[in-house]
């Protein structure tokens, strides 16, 4: 059974239909890239997958349970999300505290979380910013902090909206290496991107969204043969 099923989902903003009978199923452990032109409805769909928007028609099912029957906390335990412009979800006064938060909540001792947090700071090139307030970071740094924080939450499904947008080569590679590692551990990854090189290198499924419909869903090699 798929871990995530999008069953004939439609959505409009006011009178404007942006998703039309979207059907997509994601198996546990898939690395799915969602691609498509600007305005195709990718962000809208991803906002539905994290429960921020509700389908007008159709339903989204996670692990056999319709979102309508799930409390948002239950959904958040299973799904992590990196916004295109992370801004409002930071909760701590410093970058280090932001990364440590999840561990502290779980009752970890500092001696146990510190090495892991330091490693994340290093990997995401945020060591120099460890004491800074997350709100003072640049957009690229915020996006990296958001991804790093997500990795501390151990959710089953990760959804990322253009995580490499505006990142240099080095940071893009570091981030993708981590996602690859995470994927190798059996996590399900859904990434919206415009970067076809990343789709080719990392994804094992690709969904092309066009004018609010799924125009292709399958293996990247076949997708790239077509286009
Ligand atoms: P994508 O992520 O593929 O660029 P979006 O889901 O952001 O597409 O947008 C799909 C369409 O819906 C676009 O035409 C966009 O302008 C419109 N749209 C997105 N968000 C809103 C909103 N909050 N209100 C009205 N229209 C919106
Ligand atoms: P994306 O490229 O991911 O669609 P945008 O920068 O277009 O992101 O949109 C940023 C925010 O503005 C999103 O929350 C989106 O829902 C909203 N938005 C996008 N288009 C419109 C629109 N035409 N009217 C109102 N809100 C919009």
């Amino acid at each position: 059974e798929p871990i995530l099923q999008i069953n004939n989902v439609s959505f409009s903003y006011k009178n404007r239909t942006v998703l039309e009978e979207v059907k997509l199923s994601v198996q546990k452990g898939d690395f799915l890239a969602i691609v498509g032109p600007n305005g195709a409805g990718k962000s809208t769909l991803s906002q539905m997958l994290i429960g921020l928007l509700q389908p007008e028609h159709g339903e989204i099912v996670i692990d056999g349970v319709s979102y309508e029957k799930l409390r948002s906390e239950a959904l958040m335990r299973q799904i992590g999300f990196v916004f295109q412009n992370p801004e409002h979800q930071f909760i701590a006064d410093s970058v280090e505290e932001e990364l440590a938060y999840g561990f502290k909540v779980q009752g970890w001792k500092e001696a146990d979380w510190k090495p892991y947090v330091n490693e994340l700071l290093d990997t995401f090139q945020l060591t120099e910013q460890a004491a800074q307030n997350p709100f003072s970071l640049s957009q690229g740094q915020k996006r990296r902090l958001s991804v790093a924080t997500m990795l501390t939450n151990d959710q089953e499904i990760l959804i990322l909206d253009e995580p490499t947008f505006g990142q240099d080569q080095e940071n893009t590679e570091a981030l993708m290496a981590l996602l690859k590692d995470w994927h190798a551990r059996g996590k399900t990854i859904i990434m919206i991107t415009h970067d076809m090189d990343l789709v080719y290198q990392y994804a094992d499924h690709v969904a092309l969204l066009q004018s609010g419909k799924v125009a292709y869903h399958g293996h990247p090699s076949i997708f790239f043969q077509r286009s």
Side-chain angles (χ1 to χ4, degrees):
E1 188 184 63
I3 192 164
L4 205 57
Q5 278 171 281
I6 301 165
N7 292 332
N8 303 316
V9 163
S10 301
F11 187 82
S12 323
Y13 291 108
K14 305 200 182 80
N15 287 326
R16 186 134 168 276
T17 303
V18 291
L19 295 174
E20 219 177 321
E21 304 267 313
V22 168
K23 230 196 277 199
L24 200 60
S25 73
V26 181
Q27 303 293 328
K28 186 172 157 55
D30 281 359
F31 193 136
L32 169 70
I34 299 182
V35 303
N38 285 332
K42 303 182 296 296
S43 288
T44 302
L45 183 63
S46 69
Q47 287 177 40
M48 289 190 162
L49 293 177
I50 57 168
L52 277 182
L53 294 174
Q54 273 76 47
E56 247 164 51
H57 302 289
E59 65 169 0
I60 304 177
V61 178
I62 181 167
D63 253 340
V65 183
S66 170
Y67 274 24
E68 287 162 18
K69 302 202 172 103
L70 273 182
R71 296 177 60 84
S72 60
E73 304 87 76
L75 194 59
M76 282 163 61
R77 271 196 294 279
Q78 295 200 73
I79 295 195
F81 189 62
V82 172
F83 286 90
Q84 195 170 59
N85 293 307
E87 200 65 63
H88 304 294
Q89 77 267 40
F90 297 126
I91 44 178
D93 293 336
S94 75
V95 169
E96 182 182 55
E97 285 298 309
E98 189 69 38
L99 288 172
Y101 182 82
F103 298 119
K104 288 184 169 179
V105 168
Q106 292 170 56
W108 286 37
K109 293 193 184 66
E110 179 161 345
D112 294 323
W113 59 253
K114 193 93 178 177
Y116 189 55
V117 166
N118 284 341
E119 197 186 316
L120 285 170
L121 288 169
D122 185 44
T123 305
F124 286 90
Q125 296 202 31
L126 290 167
T127 303
E128 278 170 35
Q129 288 76 28
Q132 279 184 35
N133 192 301
F135 292 97
S136 71
L137 300 177
S138 72
Q139 273 311 327
Q141 290 167 339
K142 281 178 184 163
R143 214 167 281 131
R144 299 207 297 279
L145 176 60
S146 181
V147 176
T149 305
M150 194 171 69
L151 297 181
T152 68
N153 292 335
D154 203 34
Q155 289 131 328
E156 216 41 63
I157 304 174
L158 306 185
I159 300 175
L160 305 101
D161 192 349
E162 297 274 2
T164 60
F165 183 80
Q167 305 284 354
D168 62 23
Q169 185 76 7
E170 191 182 349
N171 279 316
T172 295
E173 276 168 18
L175 190 144
M176 293 311 298
L178 269 164
L179 288 183
K180 191 175 168 178
D181 187 39
W182 206 243
H183 180 228
R185 287 158 61 180
K187 303 288 184 178
T188 307
I189 296 174
I190 300 175
M191 180 175 79
I192 296 176
T193 187
H194 280 100
D195 189 332
M196 293 302 154
D197 288 337
L198 295 184
V199 176
Y200 189 76
Q201 274 187 67
Y202 296 98
D204 51 25
H205 288 74
V206 59
L208 169 66
L209 213 56
Q210 242 164 13
S211 313
K213 290 182 181 155
V214 179
Y216 176 83
H217 180 212
H219 198 271
S221 63
I222 298 166
F223 175 71
F224 286 112
Q225 264 172 32
R226 283 175 17 129
S227 43

